[in-house]
Amino acid sequence: MFYLSKIFWLLVQPLSLAFLLVLAGLVAAIAGARRSGLLLSGGGALVLFVTLYTTTGALLLQALEARVPKPATDPASIACMIVLGGAIENDVVASRGGVELNAAADRYTQALRLALSHPEARILVSGGDGSISGRFPGEAGLSEQFFAALGVPPQRLIKENTSRNTWENTLNTKALLAENGLTDCLLITSGFHMPRALALFRKAGIAVTPYPVDFRSRGNERPGFDFTQPSLNAQNTATAVREWLGLLGYYLAGRIDWPF
């Protein structure tokens, strides 16, 4: 299932979908089906335009981020934190060493801030290598370098280094929480990813307090055109579409109760 989901996403992510539609249109036109070719190519062009030059991606992200609001204040006490992986560039680290954070760096920086102000809290980092090749180092293992370099001793960390997706995060984290006698942890992940993660944890019977970070939308997005930042628009659209498809897929697989 893991590999099928990866291949499916490679085909249906917005830019790939636009390319495949245009390619199919060209093939249809060459084969003599000009009307079908025009429709397919036009569909590809429309997907490309919406992806690059509209606020669709930001709106889709905003809808996800609004479902679990950012906490107004920090908790008075924290026994443990669950930090979901996805913030370290495993492929870059594999060749360059060190710890290289990506756009989801808030997952670690906010966990670090809370860890320094709540020295009693344990930190469970859940994340392995989510690539198709499986040849990169697991993220949870790399996270120890980040936390240790900034003053968090290794003994406070619990590293779950094998999960490849959020479903495996949930299963493996549940086992480690039971093994270490930890309950009622903060769940730290990106705002757009929190609805899916929280739904999985609740379905698995894991009591957590959501602590969303890494917000990508402004919170006051409106439908419209945006010709100033096509690359960012494309990234936002891809991230949002992937997350919505993840919610739907987990619902159809019976792993969450309701995607909306």
Side-chain angles (χ1 to χ4, degrees), residues 139-187:
E139 182 168 329
L142 295 170
S143 72
E144 183 176 332
Q145 299 178 46
F146 171 82
F147 285 106
L150 294 166
V152 178
Q155 57 266 30
R156 291 182 62 186
L157 295 182
I158 302 170
K159 294 170 287 185
E160 189 287 290
N161 210 39
T162 61
S163 58
R164 301 168 297 177
N165 55 33
T166 314
W167 169 242
E168 293 181 3
N169 286 145
T170 305
L171 296 181
N172 296 339
T173 295
K174 184 176 183 178
L176 282 174
L177 290 175
E179 181 181 323
N180 288 273
L182 298 174
T183 58
D184 300 318
C185 300
L186 284 188
L187 177 60

Side-chain angles (χ1 to χ4, degrees), residues 10-208:
L10 287 175
L11 296 175
V12 303
Q13 58 184 298
L15 294 181
S16 294
L17 182 60
F19 170 76
L20 291 174
L21 286 170
V22 171
L23 180 62
L26 179 61
V27 171
I30 293 174
R34 294 185 177 180
R35 184 175 180 181
S36 296
L38 182 61
L39 288 173
L40 288 167
S41 297
L46 179 62
V47 171
L48 189 62
F49 181 84
V50 169
T51 299
L52 295 175
Y53 301 117
T54 74
T55 60
T56 299
L59 287 167
L60 291 172
L61 284 176
Q62 181 172 267
L64 289 166
E65 292 173 346
R67 292 173 63 178
V68 185
K70 185 177 182 178
T73 60
D74 290 340
S77 63
I78 302 173
C80 57
M81 294 176 272
I82 301 165
V83 183
L84 299 189
I88 292 179
E89 294 290 354
N90 287 7
D91 52 345
V92 176
V93 173
S95 59
R96 292 184 177 272
V99 177
E100 297 293 334
L101 301 179
N102 57 30
D106 274 5
R107 300 188 190 189
Y108 283 112
T109 58
Q110 290 298 315
L112 172 67
R113 183 181 64 82
L114 293 169
L116 294 176
S117 61
H118 294 81
E120 75 285 355
R122 301 292 302 277
I123 307 166
L124 192 160
V125 181
S126 177
D129 176 14
S131 68
I132 292 179
S133 67
R135 62 186 178 89
F136 300 117
E139 182 168 329
L142 295 170
S143 72
E144 183 176 332
Q145 299 178 46
F146 171 82
F147 285 106
L150 294 166
V152 178
Q155 57 266 30
R156 291 182 62 186
L157 295 182
I158 302 170
K159 294 170 287 185
E160 189 287 290
N161 210 39
T162 61
S163 58
R164 301 168 297 177
N165 55 33
T166 314
W167 169 242
E168 293 181 3
N169 286 145
T170 305
L171 296 181
N172 296 339
T173 295
K174 184 176 183 178
L176 282 174
L177 290 175
E179 181 181 323
N180 288 273
L182 298 174
T183 58
D184 300 318
C185 300
L186 284 188
L187 177 60
I188 300 176
T189 190
S190 300
F192 65 84
H193 184 241
M194 183 60 78
R196 181 157 57 112
L198 188 58
L200 283 167
F201 274 69
R202 286 177 173 170
K203 181 75 171 181
I206 306 172
V208 292

Side-chain angles (χ1 to χ4, degrees), residues 1 247-256:
M1 183 63 73
L247 279 166
L248 180 60
Y250 280 167
Y251 170 68
L252 294 176
R255 293 175 177 175
I256 64 175

